[in-house]
Amino acid sequence: INENLLVQEDNLVPACSNMHRHEEIQITYIVKGSGKFFISHTVHRYGPGDFFVIGSNCPHSFRKASASLDNHRISIFFKMNAFGSNFFELSQLDQIKSFFGLLDCGFKLTEYRPSISNLMYQLPMADKFSRFLLFLELMREVCKCKKENLGVFIKGLGVKNIVDFRMRRVLDYTHVNFNKEITLDMVADIACLSPGAFCKYFKNRMSRTFFSYLIELRIMHACKLLRQDGSYSIANVSNL
């Protein structure tokens, strides 16, 4: 069970992580720290008490608000078939089946429950059997909470080759600087390609042009600000 259910506690979190993806479903609880969370082509803020669930193979990255700030995260990684191909279909687990309903891209809990943070704190130190039971109890508690969909990750229309070092550099730069001016020459130079070659390269891997991707990123971020913070008007957001 321990090999199929990985618990990772990060105290020395780097300022940023490259866009990456993995087959495992990821559950992350933010103990300390703040910054931006990029998933697929959407941007979200994170802070202490936030709880994210990231779908299988969905590209994502955490960026600290400041390199000098401490960050502390507890994460769980598991595959759908980690405990057998039909484990989560058992009738005894009906209470947790809704957990997988928003896993196309992932979701964030929109309410804080002390029971969830307590379970996350216990997981790193638990023995194999206890960890498995805590995991099931955590999923049941999560299913009781209100959730916010993190976006839509359309397989085949998203990142086709996120492990490509050149593409990773381009996406990392874009996700950090999307609210600034970015020219074709700038991103082509990062990719070490001519502007024409870069356009073909990006569209082949992302199924959209670079500037379509950049506009999507900016629109999703603007929508997020309008929904989260009542102090922003449409005029304010358009000038950011």
Side-chain angles (χ1 to χ4, degrees), residues 24-220:
E24 295 84 0
I25 295 166
Q26 179 176 338
I27 299 172
T28 293
Y29 176 70
I30 308 297
V31 179
K32 185 179 182 181
S34 61
K36 292 181 180 178
F37 173 51
F38 298 85
I39 182 166
S40 189
H41 57 282
T42 64
V43 187
H44 307 265
R45 294 175 180 173
Y46 74 83
D50 281 344
F51 185 97
F52 297 96
V53 177
I54 304 167
S56 175
N57 285 313
C58 192
H60 59 279
S61 173
F62 285 93
R63 309 294 173 110
K64 291 168 61 173
S66 170
S68 61
L69 293 178
D70 292 334
N71 270 235
H72 180 192
R73 302 196 297 256
I74 301 173
S75 298
I76 305 169
F77 301 86
F78 70 99
K79 297 179 182 178
M80 278 292 293
N81 62 352
F83 315 110
S85 58
N86 298 314
F87 177 77
F88 290 111
E89 297 301 319
L90 294 173
S91 59
Q92 293 90 334
L93 299 180
D94 283 347
Q95 294 182 55
I96 67 173
K97 288 182 180 177
S98 63
F99 179 91
F100 302 100
L102 293 175
L103 273 187
D104 178 32
C105 188
F107 60 85
K108 173 186 176 181
L109 297 189
T110 56
E111 59 177 305
Y112 174 77
R113 290 203 178 197
S115 58
I116 288 178
S117 59
N118 289 338
L119 288 166
M120 292 299 293
Y121 283 128
Q122 292 179 60
L123 277 160
M125 301 302 295
D127 59 57
K128 295 180 182 180
F129 183 69
S130 298
R131 180 175 289 183
F132 181 63
L133 295 180
L134 288 168
F135 168 69
L136 294 179
E137 181 62 26
L138 175 68
M139 293 184 74
R140 182 167 68 172
E141 287 297 304
V142 169
C143 289
K144 299 176 184 177
C145 296
K146 295 179 181 178
K147 307 169 185 67
E148 174 189 349
N149 198 325
L150 292 177
V152 177
F153 174 52
I154 304 174
K155 295 175 176 62
L157 293 180
V159 180
K160 293 181 179 176
N161 192 8
I162 199 71
V163 297
D164 183 323
F165 177 72
R166 178 178 283 156
M167 179 60 74
R168 203 162 58 222
R169 287 183 61 195
V170 170
L171 293 179
D172 286 343
Y173 178 83
T174 304
H175 287 176
V176 171
N177 298 285
F178 69 91
N179 57 339
K180 303 174 183 176
E181 181 182 8
I182 300 178
T183 67
L184 178 58
D185 286 340
M186 290 165 64
V187 287
D189 186 58
I190 291 170
C192 299
L193 294 170
S194 68
F198 173 78
C199 290
K200 293 178 182 178
Y201 167 81
F202 191 92
K203 188 169 185 179
N204 177 259
R205 284 159 177 76
M206 299 293 287
S207 300
R208 53 173 71 80
T209 67
F210 171 77
F211 287 104
S212 293
Y213 181 85
L214 179 60
I215 290 169
E216 288 176 12
L217 197 62
R218 288 170 172 169
I219 290 174
M220 292 301 296

